[in-house]
Amino acid sequence: MTTLLKNVTNSIWHAFNTLQQDGSGFVGKSKLKVLTANIATLLDLYGVERGLDHYRSTPTLNFDHYLYYLGQEVFSSLSAELPLSLLRNYETKIDEVCWLVCHKDFHMNDAYYNEEAVYQLFRIFCMMADLYNDDLDDNQFTVKIHPSEALIVVKQLLNSLGLDYNNEEKYDYLKKSDDSLEFNEFLEILRFKDYDKVNDYVASICEAIGDIYQTLIMDVVKKGYLFRRGYVLPTFREYFFVLQPCELTYYKHHTDREVCGTIALNSRFMVKPSISSSGKIERIQKFTLVSGDRTFELGAQDHKTRLQWISALQLAITYSTGREGFQRDAVNRRKQQRELEARKRQEEEQLRSIHLRQLQETNVQLEQEKLARLAAESQARQYEAVAREDSRRVAELEDVKLCLEKMLEDEIQAKRDEEIVRALQARVLAEEWEKREELEQLQIEQKNLLELERQKRIEFEHRQQENESRFRDAEQKLRQLEDERKKLDRELKMARQKITLSEENKGIVEAKLQAMAPTYRKAPDFMIRRTQSFVASDRPVVVAVPR
């Protein structure tokens, strides 16, 4: 895109927007051919509008397609090295054509601005505004000005009207807002309807708009009265000078339209202050504008004004070879600064969102760790309770073990007592072998008792094995062991009673034997051997007692 097309894109969009009737973002090629022909005529091009018939197969074009066609078929024919003055002249003519198309859309309903002031504001708006594409519809475009740029125009207008901007709080929202303004909204904020203290308000504000127009659009770097030394008569005469990046023009008076002379500026010019050779303070503060063999001697009323003009001339010389003027370059720099700040804010927002997300993740992790710690503490308490319960069970099992050991010792002692009883019985049987018949009867009874005792011993051994298994599971079978112990106690008691009864019977038998001893003769040897065999067999010997 060429520099000229870039500079007039916003004004072309306003004309394009006026030509579309349905608001769809498309305009018929027949209407665009007329607009293209007018723009091409200003550039000394003819017949380029006929190419629209063969450009794309649709009967309508959106603004993006039309802008591409203008760049390829119209503005590409211009030289890329156009001087800034010619570039500004083309831009003015194209803006006028676009304004003729769209000026009805911005008809003023009041008398606060005249037609020329609105046109000047339109050009100011187009220079400072940006072209935006609709996020929802790629075919829709709009031109809006950033609030900070609108605030610059407001400040300059208020200063031109002699009003203090700092007292106008109603414009403070422009400093904080990011909502861009369309041209109608831009005009609305520039209607200072409540300034009755300004004499001849309409003329004053139109004049103020004209000054701003000269500064921003015509790129007037500085203007004011200076003295210039003539060629024929080497005297200083006062003129009204207007400084632009590419030229320095001077008039007899600031209201005159007739140009007295123009100095074309380029990069070869240099500005040098003149120093008085006499050392006295002169009435005119002189400085020279030098380019090669040409020298222009100028002067100001005071030293401060001279410094201001020297600085302004150096700035104009710097921009004299550029493709864009000083004010447009300033607008572009402010736009780049806003984009940079927007990117910084976006990056800060992204960093802030990342930080918040990390903080949330950290909080979630902390909550999870807290829950895990609480769960671990709860589990530890459960394990501690289980350990205490196991310790209690172990203690109970130790008690059961001690009881069982005591019971086992009692049973062993009972067996020893039983063995003693059996030995006594064998000795009694050996002594009472003569009483075989009666003893046989007693032997049978004793044998039955022995079988019963053996069965009990077998049963006791079985119970002992069961007790050993119950020892591993003592908690569940403690009650049963206690019952078994009681039952064994009863059986032991019965055994003891039987032993006691047997001892009593033994005494009775011995007494009877002693009483009946003379009546019996000595027992034969075979009976003695038989009695001994009974004793050796560990069976009770029954001695027969005569009736």
Side-chain angles (χ1 to χ4, degrees):
M1 182 182 295
T2 62
T3 303
L4 178 59
L5 178 58
K6 179 182 177 182
N7 294 344
V8 299
T9 295
N10 292 338
S11 58
I12 293 176
W13 177 86
H14 280 93
F16 184 91
N17 189 51
T18 302
L19 294 177
Q20 60 171 343
Q21 301 296 328
D22 53 359
S24 62
F26 290 89
V27 177
K29 289 183 178 180
S30 58
K31 297 179 180 179
L32 294 178
K33 288 171 67 176
V34 177
L35 178 60
T36 305
N38 289 323
I39 294 175
T41 301
L42 297 175
L43 303 177
D44 293 331
L45 301 174
Y46 302 95
V48 294
E49 72 277 1
R50 289 193 293 269
L52 283 171
D53 294 331
H54 308 287
Y55 176 62
R56 304 182 69 89
S57 59
T58 57
T60 58
L61 297 176
N62 63 13
F63 184 69
D64 192 23
H65 298 156
Y66 180 61
L67 198 64
Y68 179 79
Y69 178 81
L70 290 178
Q72 296 296 321
E73 301 295 333
V74 180
F75 289 89
S76 62
S77 302
L78 299 177
S79 173
E81 302 297 331
L82 288 177
L84 186 59
S85 58
L86 183 58
L87 196 66
R88 186 182 295 115
N89 186 30
Y90 282 148
E91 182 180 341
T92 301
K93 293 179 180 180
I94 294 174
D95 285 346
E96 289 177 355
V97 170
C98 295
W99 175 248
L100 290 175
V101 176
C102 66
H103 75 281
K104 294 182 179 179
D105 294 342
F106 311 112
H107 178 67
M108 306 300 293
N109 296 324
D110 50 46
Y112 286 96
Y113 300 112
N114 55 28
E115 185 70 22
E116 183 180 2
V118 178
Y119 167 68
Q120 292 174 349
L121 290 175
F122 170 77
R123 291 202 65 189
I124 293 172
F125 175 85
C126 289
M127 187 195 75
M128 305 179 73
D130 298 311
L131 181 67
Y132 295 95
N133 189 7
D134 194 345
D135 296 334
L136 301 178
D137 188 358
D138 293 338
N139 297 318
Q140 293 290 347
F141 293 84
T142 183
V143 174
K144 293 183 178 181
I145 188 172
H146 194 270
S148 61
E149 298 293 331
L151 188 60
I152 294 174
V153 180
V154 171
K155 287 182 179 180
Q156 293 187 11
L157 274 179
L158 290 175
N159 292 333
S160 299
L161 293 173
L163 301 173
D164 187 6
Y165 165 76
N166 296 323
N167 296 329
E168 305 302 328
E169 298 180 355
K170 68 177 183 177
Y171 295 110
D172 290 343
Y173 76 95
L174 294 175
K175 299 178 181 179
K176 305 175 183 178
S177 176
D178 288 332
D179 297 331
S180 299
L181 306 173
E182 295 184 354
F183 184 54
N184 285 325
E185 298 171 336
F186 176 70
L187 290 177
E188 191 64 32
I189 65 173
L190 295 179
R191 295 184 184 185
F192 310 120
K193 299 180 180 180
D194 52 345
Y195 297 129
D196 298 333
K197 56 186 177 181
V198 179
N199 296 326
D200 195 6
Y201 172 75
V202 177
S204 298
I205 196 171
C206 290
E207 183 179 356
I209 292 173
D211 291 339
I212 297 175
Y213 179 81
Q214 290 291 326
T215 302
L216 298 178
I217 301 301
M218 303 309 295
D219 214 7
V220 175
V221 179
K222 187 173 179 58
K223 58 184 177 180
Y225 286 95
L226 287 176
F227 294 97
R228 180 182 183 278
R229 185 185 295 274
Y231 290 108
V232 180
L233 297 175
T235 58
F236 281 96
R237 295 185 62 185
E238 190 176 33
Y239 295 93
F240 183 78
F241 282 81
V242 176
L243 175 62
Q244 294 174 286
C246 55
E247 61 186 12
L248 178 62
T249 308
Y250 53 95
Y251 306 84
K252 289 184 179 180
H253 194 267
H254 72 280
T255 58
D256 290 346
R257 298 293 181 181
E258 183 179 356
V259 178
C260 294
T262 300
I263 302 174
L265 301 178
N266 53 52
S267 59
R268 295 191 297 272
F269 274 87
M270 296 179 60
V271 185
K272 298 180 180 180
S274 298
I275 301 175
S276 175
S277 58
S278 62
K280 299 180 180 180
I281 299 176
E282 297 182 354
R283 184 179 65 87
I284 300 177
Q285 300 293 320
K286 304 175 184 177
F287 60 94
T288 57
L289 188 62
V290 180
S291 174
D293 56 350
R294 298 187 60 186
T295 301
F296 302 93
E297 190 172 359
L298 305 173
Q301 292 283 356
D302 50 44
H303 179 65
K304 180 180 178 181
T305 305
R306 181 178 69 168
L307 292 178
Q308 292 176 351
W309 273 100
I310 290 174
S311 176
L313 283 168
Q314 290 174 345
L315 180 64
I317 292 170
T318 302
Y319 281 91
S320 62
T321 57
R323 302 271 67 81
E324 293 183 350
F326 169 69
Q327 295 296 335
R328 191 177 293 276
D329 183 68
V331 170
N332 292 334
R333 281 188 277 108
R334 290 195 296 268
K335 179 180 178 182
Q336 292 174 0
Q337 182 65 25
R338 288 196 302 271
E339 292 176 351
L340 181 61
E341 293 176 354
R343 285 196 298 270
K344 288 182 178 179
R345 288 196 299 269
Q346 185 177 4
E347 291 175 357
E348 291 176 356
E349 289 295 332
Q350 291 177 354
L351 291 175
R352 188 179 295 108
S353 62
I354 292 173
H355 178 69
L356 290 175
R357 184 167 61 253
Q358 291 176 350
L359 184 61
Q360 292 175 356
E361 292 176 355
T362 303
N363 291 334
V364 171
Q365 291 177 358
L366 290 177
E367 290 294 331
Q368 292 177 352
E369 291 177 358
K370 183 178 179 181
L371 294 175
R373 181 173 58 82
L374 293 176
E377 291 177 355
S378 176
Q379 190 175 10
R381 288 193 294 269
Q382 292 177 359
Y383 287 158
E384 186 178 358
V386 170
R388 288 197 297 268
E389 183 67 19
D390 291 342
S391 299
R392 185 182 63 80
R393 290 180 181 179
V394 169
E396 292 178 355
L397 291 174
E398 290 292 337
D399 294 339
V400 171
K401 178 181 178 182
L402 293 175
C403 292
L404 292 176
E405 287 178 352
K406 185 176 180 182
M407 290 173 61
L408 183 60
E409 290 178 357
D410 293 341
E411 289 177 1
I412 293 173
Q413 186 64 36
K415 287 182 179 181
R416 290 175 181 175
D417 294 342
E418 183 180 1
E419 290 177 356
I420 295 172
V421 170
R422 287 179 181 177
L424 292 173
Q425 286 178 348
R427 190 176 61 187
V428 170
L429 289 173
E431 294 175 356
E432 297 178 352
W433 59 273
E434 292 94 353
K435 303 175 183 179
R436 184 171 183 276
E437 292 180 359
E438 186 176 354
L439 288 176
E440 285 179 356
Q441 183 67 29
L442 292 173
Q443 182 181 5
I444 293 172
E445 294 177 0
Q446 189 69 26
K447 186 177 181 180
N448 292 332
L449 290 173
L450 184 60
E451 288 295 329
L452 181 61
E453 192 69 18
R454 286 180 178 177
Q455 291 179 359
K456 289 180 179 180
R457 185 178 66 183
I458 294 172
E459 184 178 357
F460 178 76
E461 291 177 354
H462 180 68
R463 289 175 181 173
Q464 183 179 3
Q465 294 176 357
E466 292 179 353
N467 289 337
E468 291 177 356
S469 69
R470 291 190 193 97
F471 175 74
R472 291 187 299 268
D473 196 13
E475 184 181 8
Q476 293 82 3
K477 298 182 179 181
L478 179 60
R479 191 182 299 278
Q480 183 177 357
L481 290 174
E482 290 177 356
D483 295 339
E484 290 295 333
R485 182 181 56 80
K486 292 178 181 180
K487 187 174 180 181
L488 291 174
D489 289 341
R490 288 193 300 269
E491 290 176 357
L492 183 60
K493 185 177 180 181
M494 290 175 63
R496 288 178 179 177
Q497 289 176 357
K498 288 180 182 180
I499 292 171
T500 305
L501 181 61
S502 176
E503 289 177 354
E504 291 177 355
N505 291 334
K506 174 184 175 183
I508 295 172
V509 171
E510 288 178 353
K512 286 182 180 182
L513 287 175
Q514 290 177 2
M516 296 176 64
T519 60
Y520 286 90
R521 54 185 180 88
K522 188 178 180 180
D525 293 335
F526 73 92
M527 292 183 66
I528 294 173
R529 289 193 299 269
R530 188 173 181 181
T531 301
Q532 291 176 352
S533 64
F534 274 111
V535 173
S537 63
D538 196 19
R539 290 186 297 177
V541 179
V542 180
V543 179
V545 179
R547 299 179 181 177

